[in-house]
Amino acid sequence: MKLIIDELEERISKAMESVAAVRLCAAVVRPAADAKFGDYQANGVMALAKQVKTNPRKLAEEIVANLDLSDMCEPPEVAGPGFINLRLKADFLAARLLEINGDADRLAVDKAAGRKTIVVDFSSPNIAKQMHVGHLRSTIIGDAICRMLEFLGHNVIPQNHIGDWGTQFGMVILGLWHVCMAEEKYAGQEPYYRTELEEMKAHATDRKTLEDICRRIRKRQEEDWREDSYESTGDGKKLFRPFLDKLPTRDESVLWGKILSAYQYMNMLEETIAGMGLRNPTLVDGKVQDIPFELLSRHVTAMLQKGGKQNQQECDAWAHVRRLTMKQCNEIYRLLNVTLNDSHVRGESAYNDDLPGVVADLKKAGLAGESDGAVCVFPEGFKNKEGQPLPFIIQKSDGAYLYATTDLAALRYRVYKLKADAIVYVTDSRQKLHFEMLFAVARAACWAGEDTELTHVMFGSVLGEDGAPLKTRSGENVKLRELLDEAVERARAVVEQKNPELSEADKVKIAEAVGIGAVKYADYSNNRTSDYVFSFDKMLAMEGNTAPYMQYAYARIKSIERKAESKDVDIETELASVKELTLADAAELDLAKHLIRYGEAVAAAAADYRPNYLTSYLFELAQKFSAFYTNCPVLSAEPAKRPTRLLLCDLTARTIKHGLGELLGITVVEQM
């Protein structure tokens, strides 16, 4: 079903071309801001009048005289300096509603013209770390974008560009080794990586004590490393290799907690030992050498990145932690009801072999060169505060590659291998400059032509009640799982208060739907480019533009169906026999006009990647239904009016369910 706004624009634009004898006129049709002016308004006449140098009101009157909208609208009216106001006919509305009713799957929303292959890059958690509140917006906004684009008929390829490579993975592997030592050599004792972490925190400002602690740690670590030898010194085959082999049989939830603690320990230790001059033995090309203690994790990273049989333990450790991390992430994706799965994961490690080629190709094209030892591209138009060209660094002076290099490799893969017509990156607004430069370099290198759409979908921060980024009392990022669990727990309290007679199974189901839905809807309903304050009280409120209000609106409509049985009204039979509708009451007309605009809301939200356009539409739909239900009896209506009103109820419920459930991934429930 063609969008009404598109049909009106097309017809009015043709009339404008005919009257003004000018090609490619734009009617600029928009929904009327005030219902007293009608349903739609054409605003393009003034610009056309200026172009052809004539009076805009007179031109508007001539256009209306040459315009035939009799099958859709009441006679158009000219207002002000040249606006054309349009009011839809009741019989046109009725026909549209019947068309929507006959399309159960799509609610008569057409697919977009011109199917595209669109890659959407979102979520992107880091290995060996818990997802935190900073991952919320990317994950759910990206999911909503995928859902909307797929609904409109595009070939959507989600990409979860996880952080699974780089210097931090030496710390991840060393952390796992410490878990092994604590379990195998110091079994029965409190894990030293936890006690020593707390010890370093407690003496964070006492440098002398910290040095004593670190010297003790270094000494024990060398002893453990030498003891973990079987065929040669430090080969790890005595303890670490058997430990790795047994990991698949472990209780993963317990192991995950240990890995997180050990990784925190390594982070703190590496920060603390910097500059102390401590050295530690390790294997370098098969020989024992002393290296600076603070460089140990980087050395392990280099072993991982070299790969090969001699570094198999490092590769296996990395693979175990990567798999375990994604299992934890997948559980959060399930809770959030997002569509990401393992088939969508393509992390930084997938592009590791491509990075030298990226640098070489940019050099060959004359776009990259050395600057202070690093390899940089200076894309046109980017300058620092001093007015000097701004570098896009793709290789550091020590030979290491950066996010920029990996992102270029990923972009090239998506264009060449995935055949992307468009690539959408969903990240926070702090990465704005990075993506502007990334796109500029990709276009300069001809890796993305002008016909390839590159879009950075930016979003703001989630703030606490104090207006600062949401943190725990200790200043740490709020863990996403903990936040979602609290949302469900709070929703459970609301369910207990509102409907205590429900079964335990129903309470659990409704609490999860309401709690998770509240968190997601609160995010969606805000302009994505703005920061917003996270408030459980506001997002779980039963009034206002919230998920519980929307879910209750749906449940209230479904309750009509349950009440119908007690009034001997067979809703299914009455709806099946509807062939014509009678729209007479003002509330009926108002609700009908909003229902037929669902396709416009979906198209606008998808085009601008703004879920709040859809939540605004759904909230307004719920409000209009409430006014309709207050003013228009349904089950007690006279037989001539009841089928129309039953259909308005049914279409409202189906639209809410589709918008929330199919496009936003928010579960609706039939009882609250």
Side-chain angles (χ1 to χ4, degrees), residues 328-338 480-485 488 512-513 515-517 520 665 667:
Q328 304 300 316
C329 292
N330 286 337
E331 177 59 21
I332 290 179
Y333 295 151
R334 184 202 66 78
L335 269 177
L336 284 170
N337 192 23
V338 301
L480 187 50
R481 180 58 188 260
E482 293 173 5
L483 181 145
L484 296 177
D485 287 346
V488 173
E512 184 167 307
I516 302 300
K520 294 181 71 174
T667 304

Side-chain angles (χ1 to χ4, degrees), residues 492 495-496 499-511 671:
R492 173 62 184 260
V495 174
E496 291 280 7
N499 216 342
E501 70 278 4
L502 288 172
S503 69
E504 178 64 19
D506 284 341
K507 287 176 182 177
V508 170
K509 177 182 176 182
I510 294 170
Q671 193 174 4

